[in-house]
Amino acid sequence: MRTRARVGGTVRRAPRESVLAERFAVFAECLLTGVWIALASLPLVTVPAAFAAGARHLRRRTAHEGGGGREFVADLRTAVRGGWLVGVAGWAGAAAVLVDVRAARAGIPGGPFAGAVGLLALTGGVVALLRAAAVWEPGAAWRGLLADAGRRTVLDPAGSFLLVCGAAVVVCSALLVAPLAVPALGAVAGAAVAVEERRRRR
């Protein structure tokens, strides 16, 4: 982002940051956003709203529109109004998949198939949720966002695969060294923003 300074009666532009410095700044912002998302997700049902607020914060930062903690909290409050229902439905779906997986391990007839279908549906739901959060704006209806995100999940397999890999990194980080999963959440939100921006420009 360029700034101007008046020196000796003339206006001079400050030198532009190098591409490497700018990308590192975005990466650092993603890590900080991951901490915000983790804190905002503690009530569990606020997970969709936390990702939506985090993604909107990253969109502002990459567009050089400023924004900080206050804006994140304001977006979180707005997103929670409808997003908490999405959070409840998401956790209910995750619990149902857990039951399917346990049934598969117990050797119940049809259990392996039900477990595989459940895991596939859960993965698709997570990707759709990330895509919806990446384009969320105040006033947007979560139902419409998720419906559109579901279509993009199917029609853009490359982007969806990238988000699956990002979610897998968070899970693996949590299993190996739990604190690493916190900043990784911001990286996943940043990846969702990048995937949606890539698709928009095509």
Side-chain angles (χ1 to χ4, degrees):
M1 181 176 179
R2 295 184 178 180
T3 57
R4 296 185 180 184
R6 185 173 294 276
V7 180
T10 61
V11 176
R12 294 183 180 179
R13 291 185 176 180
R16 185 181 179 88
E17 289 184 346
S18 67
V19 174
L20 180 61
E22 187 172 350
R23 289 179 178 175
F24 183 79
V26 171
F27 176 69
E29 197 68 37
C30 284
L31 300 184
L32 174 62
T33 304
V35 176
W36 291 352
I37 291 174
L39 292 175
S41 298
L42 289 178
L44 297 183
V45 295
T46 57
V47 170
F51 270 98
R56 189 160 190 256
H57 168 72
L58 292 175
R59 293 203 309 271
R60 281 195 300 264
R61 297 299 287 178
T62 54
H64 303 290
E65 295 176 355
R70 287 185 179 179
E71 288 79 2
F72 175 86
V73 172
D75 286 338
L76 178 65
R77 289 175 177 172
T78 303
V80 163
R81 291 171 189 167
W84 72 271
L85 288 172
V86 179
V88 170
W91 286 112
V97 171
L98 180 60
V99 171
D100 288 342
V101 171
R102 288 185 175 179
R105 289 182 176 179
I108 295 176
F113 176 76
V117 171
L119 286 175
L120 182 62
L122 180 62
T123 301
V126 170
V127 172
L129 175 62
L130 289 172
R131 283 181 172 271
V135 298
W136 176 86
E137 293 284 348
W142 277 99
R143 179 178 295 182
L145 288 175
L146 288 170
D148 292 339
R151 286 190 286 270
R152 295 195 301 274
T153 298
V154 176
L155 297 176
D156 181 23
S160 298
F161 178 73
L162 176 62
L163 294 180
V164 169
C165 292
V169 168
V170 174
V171 173
C172 291
S173 299
L175 293 176
L176 296 175
V177 185
L180 291 180
V182 173
L185 293 174
V188 172
V193 171
V195 165
E196 289 300 314
E197 182 65 18
R198 164 184 163 272
R199 189 178 187 282
R200 187 183 67 83
R201 292 185 177 182
R202 283 193 308 180

